[in-house]
Amino acid sequence: MNYKKKSIKDIDLQGKKVIVRCDFNVPLSKDGTGIVSDKRIVETLPTIKYLLDQNAAIILCSHLGRPKGEPNPKYTLAPVAERLSELLKMPVTLAKDTVGPDAQAKAAALKSGQIMLLENLRFEPGEEKNDPVFSKKLADLASVYVSDAFGTVHRAHASTVGVTEYLPAVCGLLIEKELNNMIAAIEVPVRPFVLVLGGAKISDKLPVIRNLMDKVDVILIGGGMAYTMIKSLGGEIGTSLCETPLIEQAHDIYHECQEKGIKILLASDCLAADTFTADSPYEILYADRIPENKMGLDIGPRTREMFSREIAKAGTVVWNGPMGVAEFDAFAGGTKAIAKACAESGAATIVGGGDSAAAVEDLGFADRITHISTGGGATLEFLAGKPLPGIESLLDK
Ligand code: AMP
């Protein structure tokens, strides 16, 4: 697929009315009173500020949560409008609806240099169905479309694909940065190129291995996904995670990698716990000799060392997925060790996926990582070489 797309820097936006698809799907506090992290809002500021410099009239839109096609005050974008207004030190008007009379009136009255936010896109059933009528209503609000929500480009929704049928469509600075950084790492990697994979679902990660098999030099596999592969090689994994239908595929991919001369390393030891709980007792065991009643919940000290050594020698590291159940403190050590190794490595480091990115940020290593991707599923699909409809639909460079 062609990732060379026009950005807001490639077209004339002077005085234009621009609709910008953002990812304001921020974590909200349980009592619904506020935003837990405004990172996603902060990340859109470069695009918004650039558009302000172009004297554009800016209509922002986003989804938040899963309101399933109908208005639900729990998922209003009001807290986002408020936070944006604080960050930009200027008013950000929130429409009462998404494409209804209030949004239409406010958009029509919007002047150059002003900003408004539409109400949650997913209050409308047409959004996730990529409905042409809803797409056209969105498009009618503006004369140019900007896509800056990397987290949703793998979905063909009205606000990511449908709207581009009716408006010239370009990417914003956040998406441009995502693509440039990830393409540079993958297309022209400084060697050795080390791919680090973890997380629960091997089903998500096998396509990534397959896509990058001709490019990488080393693959390090930890997390729950490692156990399906360990089992496929005859290991005993106890009650550890296992995607049984994928055992054969995991086995074949492992051997294909070896035949290609890729150094593919699986977790060799683990913290083997009695139960999947935060305070479960555990012991350090070989990852392929786990007794029937125990499960591997984190990579062990030998694996941490072995993986860190490879990362230290790397020229490029792409990491997706935690090394263990990082939500539980007792089983977060492996993920932290890899985050530290990435921060300390001189390699170009690309970290994607919510848990691995969070580990890097929580440990204060974010500024020592080349690029932390904002898209969970979108990043994985990019790494797996799958088409991203929300990028395909933009104007070619
Ligand atoms: P994924 O979405 O596939 O990247 O998976 C992320 C999830 O994997 C996190 O919620 C982790 O708790 C989980 N995870 C990582 N390692 C393990 C493991 N050894 N056993 C069970 N779950 C794991």
Side-chain angles (χ1 to χ4, degrees):
M1 107 160 238
N2 175 18
Y3 297 106
K4 294 200 177 75
K5 296 294 179 175
K6 282 196 173 148
S7 87
I8 48 177
K9 291 196 174 142
D10 298 317
I11 60 167
D12 176 21
L13 292 166
Q14 274 299 332
K16 296 260 169 69
K17 202 165 272 181
V18 180
I19 182 162
V20 189
R21 174 51 156 113
C22 303
D23 182 0
F24 293 145
N25 187 27
V26 291
L28 295 173
S29 60
K30 288 222 167 66
D31 59 7
T33 52
I35 295 168
V36 176
S37 161
D38 65 0
K39 189 168 168 284
R40 288 186 168 163
I41 303 176
V42 171
E43 273 162 347
T44 59
L45 295 179
T47 293
I48 297 174
K49 286 182 179 162
Y50 180 87
L51 294 173
L52 284 172
D53 286 345
Q54 304 302 303
N55 215 16
I58 306 168
I59 303 166
L60 304 171
C61 61
S62 175
H63 75 285
L64 174 63
R66 294 171 188 267
K68 304 206 170 121
E70 53 186 58
N72 179 342
K74 196 173 149 198
Y75 298 113
T76 173
L77 282 168
V80 173
E82 201 178 308
R83 185 73 191 112
L84 252 179
S85 171
E86 285 164 15
L87 290 166
L88 290 164
K89 300 187 176 62
M90 62 182 286
V92 174
T93 315
L94 177 70
K96 289 195 189 80
D97 46 30
T98 314
V99 289
D102 193 56
Q104 287 176 12
K106 287 197 164 87
L110 196 73
K111 299 202 169 59
S112 294
Q114 293 183 334
I115 304 181
M116 67 174 282
L117 174 62
L118 303 180
E119 193 44 286
N120 196 332
L121 289 162
R122 292 192 186 165
F123 284 180
E124 289 282 340
E127 164 62 357
E128 289 180 85
K129 291 186 187 135
N130 193 12
D131 170 48
V133 175
F134 176 62
S135 303
K136 176 81 169 51
K137 282 187 180 165
L138 277 176
D140 283 346
L141 300 174
S143 59
V144 178
Y145 167 79
V146 174
S147 164
D148 216 22
F150 189 69
T152 55
V153 293
H154 58 313
R155 308 262 183 243
H157 291 168
S159 68
T160 58
V161 172
V163 63
T164 67
E165 294 284 325
Y166 308 102
L167 290 179
V170 298
C171 65
L173 302 180
L174 181 59
I175 287 199
E176 188 180 44
K177 187 174 83 175
E178 285 278 3
L179 292 178
N180 286 347
N181 283 338
M182 292 205 289
I183 289 166
I186 286 167
E187 298 301 329
V188 276
V190 180
R191 299 202 173 271
F193 179 1
V194 179
L195 175 65
V196 188
L197 294 176
K201 291 188 272 304
I202 197 168
S203 43
D204 281 352
K205 308 287 173 16
L206 288 180
V208 175
I209 300 181
R210 186 153 296 290
N211 184 46
L212 297 179
M213 208 182 252
D214 291 324
K215 297 189 170 133
V216 299
D217 303 296
V218 180
I219 302 179
L220 309 175
I221 301 183
M225 67 170 281
Y227 297 102
T228 304
M229 209 166 248
I230 293 170
K231 183 159 178 154
S232 81
L233 301 172
E236 284 158 23
I237 61 165
T239 54
S240 305
L241 269 192
C242 182
E243 286 183 68
T244 307
L246 291 177
I247 290 180
E248 204 180 314
Q249 211 181 319
H251 176 270
D252 292 349
I253 286 193
Y254 178 87
H255 287 291
E256 262 178 75
C257 287
Q258 283 203 318
E259 278 157 26
K260 283 182 187 287
I262 297 168
K263 189 170 178 184
I264 177 163
L265 301 177
L266 305 179
S268 64
D269 62 347
C270 67
L271 306 192
D274 297 341
T275 53
F276 188 88
T277 47
D279 56 357
S280 171
Y282 64 84
E283 53 187 316
I284 297 165
L285 296 177
Y286 287 113
D288 59 353
R289 270 175 259 168
I290 303 176
E292 265 174 27
N293 58 344
K294 288 192 189 289
M295 58 179 79
L297 292 188
D298 196 7
I299 55 171
R302 279 179 47 161
T303 309
R304 293 177 198 183
E305 243 185 79
M306 169 172 76
F307 285 6
S308 299
R309 234 180 291 129
E310 295 298 330
I311 291 168
K313 287 188 287 186
T316 305
V317 179
V318 170
W319 174 27
N320 195 295
M323 293 292 107
V325 186
E327 301 91 317
F328 300 157
D329 278 351
F331 304 107
T335 304
K336 287 181 182 170
I338 298 308
K340 184 160 178 278
C342 286
E344 287 172 354
S345 164
T349 44
I350 309 287
V351 178
D355 303 278
S356 12
V360 165
E361 274 153 14
D362 292 351
L363 291 164
F365 294 143
D367 56 354
R368 290 158 74 190
I369 298 295
T370 312
H371 179 67
I372 300 178
S373 180
T374 54
T379 308
L380 259 186
E381 299 210 0
F382 171 84
L383 293 174
K386 294 187 187 159
L388 300 173
I391 301 291
E392 275 182 325
S393 59
L394 305 178
L395 292 175
D396 289 338
K397 211 161 191 149

